[in-house]
Amino acid sequence: MFLPDVPLAAVPRTSQELDNLRRQVADLSESWERIGGSRSPFTAPFNAPSVGKLLYDAEDVLQALTAEVQVPTPSSNGAAAQSEAGARPSSGADSSNGKAQQPVHTSLLQAVKAPSRAWLQSFFADLKPEKRQVGVDDVLHTWFREQQVQQAYRAAGTCSAAACRAAARTGLPASERPWVWAAALGIHAAPPAATTAAAAAAAATAKAACGDGSSSSQTQPPTDAAALAAAAAAAADMHSDWWRFPSERDRQVLQLLCESVEQQVLLTDLLVCADVQRMADSEHYFVFEEAMRAMLLAFSRDASASINASVPAAPRLAAEAAGNKQLRPYPPSGILPFQGMASYLAPLCYLYEQPAAAFRVFAAMYGRYWCRLHTINVQPAPSAGLPVLCRTFLELLQDVDAEVYRHLSRLGPSALDLAFPWIMAAFVGHLSPAETLLLWDRIIGFDSLLPLPVLAAAVMTFRRDLVLAVHSSDELLEVLEDLSQLKVVPLMQAVLFDT
């Protein structure tokens, strides 16, 4: 409709055409630089047409969630299985005879079950206020920050994804986050064996100087400046020795995918660039525009993206190659560009200087987590899909602050209308980058997207006085528009554990 003159797939460029275009950017040695620049000869065609709307956005996904569909009523066995995960009993489901009932018309949002607040409290036990957290206590106590640094070294030194996720549950220091995340995602980026001894020595030194800091009632341990300096020096030496990521293979993978972008123009390339441009308008992420453009264009050519995704990509398209009746995914990744996909990549640009490293981690996070935020799948907690995440937000808000819930319902836009863009974007563009990364620590640490609805409910309750004071939907949108000053950890603790 918007782009009638742009083909789904242009004729592949000849070798001579590629050479001519590459000569125009001969000063750029990396393939990602050649396709990432806004004035690159490979992406120049994408800058002319104006895209009024991407294929779909948060509003479209929410409409699909709330639209009436025909679903089977669960049997008593299904209800029992849900209750084991802390889910609420379904209203209107007759499980007395143990047989599945006739299909009913409802929305997917109403058909799924959310975990109870008690179940969430148990699941997020490591977030309890009694446990010190990065994002709160590291600001107040230098010794605690040093202690978390050493804990991160020990976790990544084990090459254990489980140990790294456990370390991330209470937050990670900014300096250690890149490689702990990588190890937690199964990317072996742990320190080499030669530096493991240095890690143990640094940890022992820090413990002797700082104590174990396991209790929140503990007073600040005595400060030994020399011991802390020795621990910091050992940590710095180990960090400089460790940084061998990305590997040569990671560089080659990104290079080959970028060369695929150079060889053939796809209509979806224009949509990818349009989404990156929206993210580049942010004051926090505009400096990464070229790298984000290159990585997302490369990701659209990555055939393993949909194969490695924890839930199937939807919607899906297939195309028939010329002279070949075999249908192939279109685009090659099998993932259609939507408004907001760049959100899942932008924060990683703060962590990884090399695009090959950021791309590898982005692909792993997309396959494990982000694919659940723009597809409709009804997996229960803790591996919750989007419908369960939304239902969790609604029921948690109603449990914690029923007055706010009712007030929002009377004003027009429902609570979910307001919170859904936060959840689908994983709060990118709404929180500050530092707080976004602290939130993502908990997503990786608990290996779940449940921190998103928990934080969304916490934001509503935190601003309850302002919310209750407004009398129109426009005023309400203004009250909830700016979240940039909010602190993630105290809000989540309050909504889960305050009585």
Side-chain angles (χ1 to χ4, degrees):
M1 290 172 60
F2 294 108
L3 308 164
D5 299 327
V6 181
L8 281 174
V11 176
R13 294 183 173 106
T14 64
S15 298
Q16 184 176 356
E17 290 173 331
L18 279 174
D19 290 341
N20 291 337
L21 291 173
R22 286 170 180 168
R23 275 195 291 269
Q24 296 179 32
V25 285
D27 57 319
L28 303 178
S29 59
E30 299 284 352
S31 56
W32 72 266
E33 295 176 310
R34 295 198 298 267
I35 67 171
S38 58
R39 296 304 175 188
S40 163
F42 298 100
T43 57
F46 310 149
N47 297 323
S50 175
V51 180
K53 180 179 173 64
L54 295 181
L55 291 180
Y56 63 98
D57 57 16
E59 183 178 349
D60 297 320
V61 178
L62 182 57
Q63 287 179 357
L65 281 175
T66 55
E68 188 176 89
V69 295
Q70 182 174 293
V71 297
T73 302
S75 65
S76 59
N77 292 336
Q82 288 282 1
S83 65
E84 289 178 2
R88 301 168 185 275
S90 174
S91 58
D94 182 6
S95 59
S96 59
N97 56 9
K99 297 180 180 179
Q101 304 301 307
Q102 293 298 318
V104 296
H105 290 276
T106 184
S107 69
L108 282 173
L109 189 61
Q110 295 299 322
V112 298
K113 298 176 178 63
S116 65
R117 188 175 182 225
W119 186 91
L120 290 171
Q121 289 172 334
S122 175
F123 182 71
F124 288 112
D126 285 325
L127 265 179
K128 287 182 177 179
E130 302 88 64
K131 294 198 173 186
R132 295 192 182 276
Q133 305 283 332
V134 174
V136 179
D137 299 289
D138 58 321
V139 179
L140 302 174
H141 305 295
T142 303
W143 62 267
F144 175 70
R145 183 175 66 250
E146 297 294 339
Q147 174 183 292
Q148 292 300 99
V149 168
Q150 304 314 319
Q151 178 181 329
Y153 275 119
R154 291 195 299 272
T158 66
C159 293
S160 166
C164 290
R165 286 196 293 269
R169 289 176 188 170
T170 54
L172 294 165
S175 59
E176 319 315 317
R177 185 176 284 130
W179 50 290
V180 176
W181 277 19
L185 293 165
I187 302 170
H188 296 295
T195 61
T196 304
T205 304
K207 184 175 182 180
C210 304
D212 59 14
S214 58
S215 171
S216 63
S217 60
Q218 169 186 347
T219 59
Q220 180 176 352
T223 301
D224 185 331
L228 288 176
D237 289 343
M238 190 174 75
H239 189 74
S240 61
D241 289 339
W242 169 80
W243 197 256
R244 298 177 180 177
F245 181 79
S247 66
E248 184 59 30
R249 179 184 177 277
D250 295 328
R251 296 178 187 275
Q252 290 176 356
V253 167
L254 181 60
Q255 178 179 340
L256 290 173
L257 293 173
C258 290
E259 289 174 355
S260 297
V261 177
E262 293 177 343
Q263 290 167 2
Q264 186 178 30
V265 175
L266 303 179
L267 173 60
T268 51
D269 295 341
L270 175 60
L271 304 178
V272 167
C273 291
D275 187 47
V276 171
Q277 184 58 53
R278 292 171 187 267
M279 181 55 60
D281 291 338
S282 164
E283 63 176 317
H284 300 298
Y285 302 111
F286 72 94
V287 294
F288 307 120
E289 178 181 359
E290 294 186 358
M292 286 192 295
R293 183 181 294 109
M295 285 186 278
L296 284 180
L297 287 172
F299 187 70
S300 71
R301 304 311 201 272
D302 187 357
S304 67
S306 57
I307 296 174
N308 295 332
S310 56
V311 297
R316 288 173 285 182
L317 292 180
E320 182 178 316
N324 187 350
K325 293 185 178 180
Q326 183 180 3
L327 291 178
R328 297 181 180 180
Y330 179 87
S333 66
I335 301 163
L336 292 172
F338 56 93
Q339 183 174 320
M341 190 168 187
S343 301
Y344 308 142
L345 173 61
L348 297 179
C349 295
Y350 276 99
L351 302 186
Y352 302 96
E353 294 182 6
Q354 296 296 325
F359 181 82
R360 178 82 184 274
V361 174
F362 166 70
M365 292 193 73
Y366 177 85
R368 196 174 187 91
Y369 304 117
W370 309 140
C371 61
R372 302 175 185 273
L373 292 181
H374 66 97
T375 56
I376 298 177
N377 60 91
V378 294
Q379 290 182 326
S383 301
L386 194 53
V388 173
L389 295 177
C390 294
R391 189 69 180 266
T392 300
F393 160 72
L394 290 172
E395 296 198 0
L396 182 59
L397 178 61
Q398 194 169 13
D399 269 358
V400 175
D401 201 327
E403 186 179 6
V404 166
Y405 182 87
R406 290 192 299 268
H407 184 70
L408 290 172
S409 301
R410 288 194 297 266
L411 283 182
S414 69
L416 186 57
D417 290 329
L418 299 166
F420 189 80
W422 306 340
I423 295 173
M424 184 173 167
F427 279 89
V428 178
H430 301 283
L431 297 171
S432 68
E435 292 298 314
T436 300
L437 294 173
L438 287 170
L439 174 63
W440 286 17
D441 279 344
R442 276 69 186 184
I443 289 175
I444 291 175
F446 292 99
D447 199 23
S448 173
L449 291 169
L450 285 172
L452 299 177
V454 170
L455 179 59
V459 171
M460 296 290 188
T461 58
F462 177 71
R463 296 208 165 154
R464 73 180 311 274
D465 293 340
L466 294 173
V467 169
L468 294 175
V470 302
H471 300 288
S472 71
S473 57
D474 291 339
E475 291 177 344
L476 183 59
L477 292 173
E478 185 177 347
V479 163
L480 296 172
E481 181 180 13
D482 184 11
L483 310 183
S484 60
Q485 302 301 313
L486 297 184
K487 300 298 181 184
V488 166
V489 177
L491 287 177
M492 293 181 66
Q493 289 176 326
V495 79
L496 286 172
F497 301 108
D498 280 4
T499 56

